[in-house]
Amino acid sequence: MINEKEALYLLETAKKARLNAYAPYSHYHVGAALLAQNGKTYIGCNVENASFGATNCAERTALFSAIAGGVRDFQGIAVVGGTYGSLDETILPCGICCQALSEFCAQDFPIVLAKEESYRIVTLKELFPHAFSSQNLNK
Ligand code: THU
C-alpha cells in the first residue's frame, strides 16, 4: 500500500515520464511510475511503432524495466496521460497492462489516477477483477 506522500511523488514522477513518450501516431503521451517494495521507482512511457501492434504502454514499460532489474515486488503505480500529454482526463491502464500487472501484484495493488491536480486511487481488482493466472495453468 502507499500513503498520500508516496501517491503524490508517484504522480509527479509519472508526469515527468510522460514527457519521454514516443507517440508520433496517436499523439497520446502516457507516463507511469511504479514503486517497488525496496523503495526504488521505475518509470515508463508509451513507445509506439509504425507497426501499431508493436506499441508498448507506459505501465508495461515501467513493469518490464523493474523485472529486468531483478525487482518483482511492488507497492503501487501512478499513471497519467492524454493527448499531447494533457492532464485533463483520467486515464486507466488497459486490459493488457492490468493482466501484466496481475502477474506480480496482489488484488489490492493501488493504482493512482489523476485529473489535473486531483487524484484518486483504485485497486487492480476494481479495474480487472478476473485475471488469467497461473492457477489456470496448474491443473
Ligand atoms: N497507452 C498507454 O501507454 N497506457 C494506457 O493505459 C492506455 C494507452 C498508450 C498506448 C498508445 O501509445 C497510446 O496510449 C494510445 O492508445
Side-chain angles (χ1 to χ4, degrees), residues 22-23 26-31 45-49 52 55-61 79-80 91-95 97:
Y22 177 73
S26 72
H27 307 296
Y28 202 88
H29 297 185
V30 185
C45 62
N46 52 330
V47 184
E48 297 189 345
N49 192 282
F52 296 166
T55 291
N56 207 55
C57 290
E59 299 89 323
R60 277 175 292 142
T61 303
V79 187
V80 298
I91 75 158
L92 298 163
C94 76
C97 288

Side-chain angles (χ1 to χ4, degrees), residues 64-83:
F64 296 162
S65 173
I67 302 301
V71 170
R72 297 180 181 175
D73 299 308
F74 304 108
Q75 299 188 55
I77 191 170
V79 187
V80 298
T83 302

